[in-house]
Amino acid sequence: MFEALSSRLNGVFDKLRRRGALSEADVNEALREVRIALLEADVALPVARDLINKVRERAVGAEVIRSVSPAQQVIKIVNDALVEALGGGEGIEAPGLDLNAPAPVPILMVGLQGSGKTTTSGKIALRLRTREKKKVLLASLDVQRPAAQLQLQTLANQTGVTSLPIIPGQTPLEIAARAMDTARRELYDVVILDTAGRLSIDDALMDEVAAVKAATRPHQTLLVVDAMTGQDAVNTARNFQDRVGVNGIVMTRVDGDARGGAALSMRAVTGAPIRLLGAGEKLDALEDFHPSRIAGRILGMGDIVSLVERAAETIDRDEAEKLAAKMQKGQFDLEDFASQLKQVGKMGNLSGILGMLPGLGAMKDKIANAKIDDGMIGRQAAIISSMTRKERKNPDIIKASRKKRIATGAGVTVQDVNRLLKQFDDMSAMMKRMNKLGQKGLMRGGLGALLPGMGGGKRPF
Ligand SMILES: Nc1nc2c(ncn2[C@@H]2O[C@H](COP(=O)(O)OP(=O)(O)O)[C@@H](O)[C@H]2O)c(=O)[nH]1
Ligand SMILES: [Mg+2]
């Protein structure tokens, strides 16, 4: 999400930075371009207009134009306005889920069909069970699709939480009442009520959802919207807010290439904060929504905090320390290289990771052209696993016939094998040079060498 917007804005700001001194006209011209970029990213018109007006008011002041780095000031003002639009501000880090109510806390999931309600219910259940040690009951009120209740039951099994037993023929209201009864009797902390969606807004859906809401009085009514639907997501949200009333939004499919404007419009249009993001089909692909980090990502400043958090969750610390020690002693071999690749692979989508790195936002296109794709890691790993243990420990013995055998085994060409070996050579050489720089330099060198075209290596395959 946000790639196009991010690269447009970076273009505008690069131009501004090159100016040096800024006149009021320069700022106005830049803001006009920012406005176009926002609209192209599907930000709702009034939201874009307000944001620009706010920025202009703050930026056209004499201090900015006379300051040492006027462009930087303008960017900072745009950043702050984006954070505000995203629902953040002084002291607001991330709204997250609000469970601050007597147990059992009811959470009602609403939204259109296919927006991701059921999947998100499972994700929230998993997170509450594992991170917060909550006792969670999942209940499907979806009597529209025959398999819907079973879908939730399966998710409950996968996440290790209980789902309300299915009684065929019950109405959503009856199921909701039974869920709340069960939760009170069996002392659940949280009850997640997953409702049926429709393909589009209709009265029957709204009435049904409103009735369930009135009967269960949920502490959180979460509207689930699909980021890929852009402006429609905003219209859907407005409708649900008017007719049902929601106090939180979950935006799903942010792992896709949505333009992101909906995220920027939601707060202004509905008054409700985006609380969570769905970033994939897997049950652990749920993220808190951090306005300031997202703004940083949009402005190409990189979301280094999220990156470090993700790394801390996925990278095996012992393994990393072992590798670092080996690097320092110059004993790093292809087996270690493969292990490093595996760690990077575990962190997920490579371009997603790159997007979080500061300064790389603007390089996105270049990276895309260099065709760094996630398959690359897999192919490199395949090449290394086609080698014998001896070859991995001592790559120098890999000559023509061995290369041919390895390439055939990995389903790649001999050139691919050569490229990998060259990359490994570059990396080893760099490590030796960096030994003097200590750990920090090493880590940087390690990552750089993994990203051909940016570090020591050559073109990726
Ligand atoms: N890529 C991606 N797919 C998602 C996400 N959330 C849900 N899905 C998929 O969207 C489809 C519909 O989801 P579902 O939860 O059944 O939607 P519901 O009709 O609102 O209950 C399923 O195939 C999900 O795997 C997400 O964050 N990213
Ligand atoms: Mg569903």
Side-chain angles (χ1 to χ4, degrees):
M1 212 166 57
F2 297 124
E3 278 84 3
L5 176 61
S6 180
S7 77
R8 280 290 299 265
L9 290 180
N10 272 298
V12 176
F13 294 139
D14 279 348
K15 230 161 59 186
L16 215 53
R17 279 196 199 93
R18 279 198 297 272
R19 280 276 149 74
L22 293 185
S23 68
E24 198 167 315
D26 292 333
V27 174
N28 276 325
E29 168 62 16
L31 289 185
R32 202 183 61 81
E33 288 175 29
V34 170
R35 182 167 179 273
I36 295 170
L38 290 172
L39 294 177
E40 279 182 1
D42 266 350
V43 176
L45 182 61
V47 177
R49 202 167 39 208
D50 280 0
L51 197 142
I52 294 301
N53 286 341
K54 209 183 276 176
V55 174
R56 182 178 295 117
E57 238 167 64
R58 297 178 194 169
V60 173
E63 319 86 83
V64 167
I65 292 167
R66 266 195 250 115
S67 76
V68 196
S69 53
Q72 213 49 46
Q73 293 269 2
V74 174
I75 295 167
K76 164 90 171 67
I77 293 168
V78 172
N79 177 67
D80 293 349
L82 284 177
V83 172
E84 279 168 38
L86 291 164
E90 201 101 351
I92 305 171
E93 203 17 67
L97 260 191
D98 176 6
L99 298 178
N100 201 359
V105 183
I107 301 179
L108 181 65
M109 310 293 291
V110 303
L112 295 182
Q113 189 174 312
S115 58
K117 292 179 297 301
T118 305
T119 310
T120 306
S121 301
K123 289 177 180 178
I124 292 175
L126 177 66
R127 169 192 278 219
L128 292 181
R129 180 180 75 77
T130 53
R131 268 202 218 166
E132 307 194 21
K133 311 287 175 234
K134 299 277 190 202
K135 189 175 167 192
V136 182
L137 180 66
L138 278 169
S140 169
L141 319 191
D142 187 349
V143 296
Q144 297 293 319
R145 287 188 308 125
Q149 299 192 48
L150 284 172
Q151 183 193 356
L152 192 70
Q153 195 176 58
T154 309
L155 281 176
N157 291 341
Q158 284 168 10
T159 50
V161 308
T162 314
S163 63
L164 190 73
I166 298 172
I167 300 183
Q170 282 201 323
T171 65
L173 270 175
E174 287 167 340
I175 302 173
R178 187 157 58 88
M180 293 313 296
D181 272 352
T182 306
R184 273 188 288 266
R185 222 179 28 240
E186 299 178 15
L187 304 179
Y188 279 89
D189 298 311
V190 177
V191 188
I192 302 175
L193 303 166
D194 177 27
T195 62
R198 299 285 196 286
L199 287 174
S200 61
I201 303 279
D202 69 24
D203 291 341
L205 166 72
M206 291 299 178
D207 291 347
E208 178 182 304
V209 171
V212 170
K213 189 183 171 207
T216 54
R217 301 214 269 135
H219 185 61
Q220 296 268 268
T221 303
L222 298 181
L223 172 69
V224 181
V225 292
D226 177 352
M228 302 293 284
T229 60
Q231 294 273 17
D232 283 343
V234 180
N235 295 332
T236 303
R238 188 186 287 118
N239 256 296
F240 270 91
Q241 187 58 296
D242 290 350
R243 303 188 48 180
V244 179
V246 303
N247 56 11
I249 290 167
V250 181
M251 191 164 264
T252 61
R253 296 212 181 80
V254 302
D255 48 311
D257 55 2
R259 283 181 277 184
L264 278 160
S265 311
M266 276 308 170
R267 184 58 188 253
V269 173
T270 67
I274 299 179
R275 295 181 183 274
L276 298 166
L277 296 177
E281 298 195 45
K282 287 207 199 130
L283 285 171
D284 61 357
L286 185 70
E287 296 174 8
D288 279 320
F289 183 77
H290 291 266
S292 57
R293 295 190 199 172
I294 300 280
R297 226 187 270 184
I298 295 174
L299 292 180
M301 301 198 261
D303 183 358
I304 202 74
V305 186
S306 294
L307 180 65
V308 169
E309 276 180 1
R310 176 113 65 93
E313 270 185 23
T314 49
I315 288 189
D316 183 336
R317 181 181 293 269
D318 290 345
E319 189 73 7
E321 276 170 11
K322 233 168 50 199
L323 282 181
K326 278 192 153 178
M327 288 180 188
Q328 227 149 13
K329 289 193 211 130
Q331 294 171 346
F332 190 81
D333 60 28
L334 274 164
E335 230 152 61
D336 304 316
F337 189 38
S339 151
Q340 194 174 11
L341 285 173
K342 211 167 90 199
Q343 302 259 6
V344 172
K346 265 202 299 197
M347 282 179 64
N349 182 293
L350 190 53
S351 37
I353 296 174
L354 291 176
M356 290 187 199
L357 289 171
L360 284 190
M363 287 176 68
K364 266 265 152 82
D365 292 346
K366 213 171 132 190
I367 293 166
N369 288 339
K371 291 208 188 62
I372 296 183
D373 61 282
D374 297 304
M376 180 186 90
I377 291 188
R379 283 191 294 278
Q380 293 185 323
I383 294 174
I384 299 176
S385 57
S386 303
M387 297 174 183
T388 64
R389 199 176 153 73
K390 210 166 123 201
E391 287 165 346
R392 278 180 230 150
K393 291 278 172 208
N394 186 10
D396 289 343
I397 64 171
I398 304 177
K399 299 283 183 270
S401 71
R402 288 181 189 259
K403 282 180 187 167
K404 220 151 125 198
R405 191 205 78 238
I406 292 166
T408 313
V412 299
T413 64
V414 170
Q415 283 92 313
D416 292 335
V417 177
N418 282 333
R419 230 173 268 143
L420 175 106
L421 290 172
K422 172 82 170 64
Q423 222 175 300
F424 176 73
D425 273 352
D426 289 346
M427 192 163 161
S428 310
M430 183 164 33
M431 274 174 199
K432 278 172 201 144
R433 259 180 283 136
M434 286 206 172
N435 259 343
K436 297 178 208 109
L437 295 177
Q439 212 91 321
K440 248 197 238 147
L442 276 175
M443 294 316 287
R444 224 176 317 127
L447 189 60
L450 273 179
L451 305 174
M454 301 172 54
K458 284 280 155 302
R459 221 171 54 79
F461 33 96

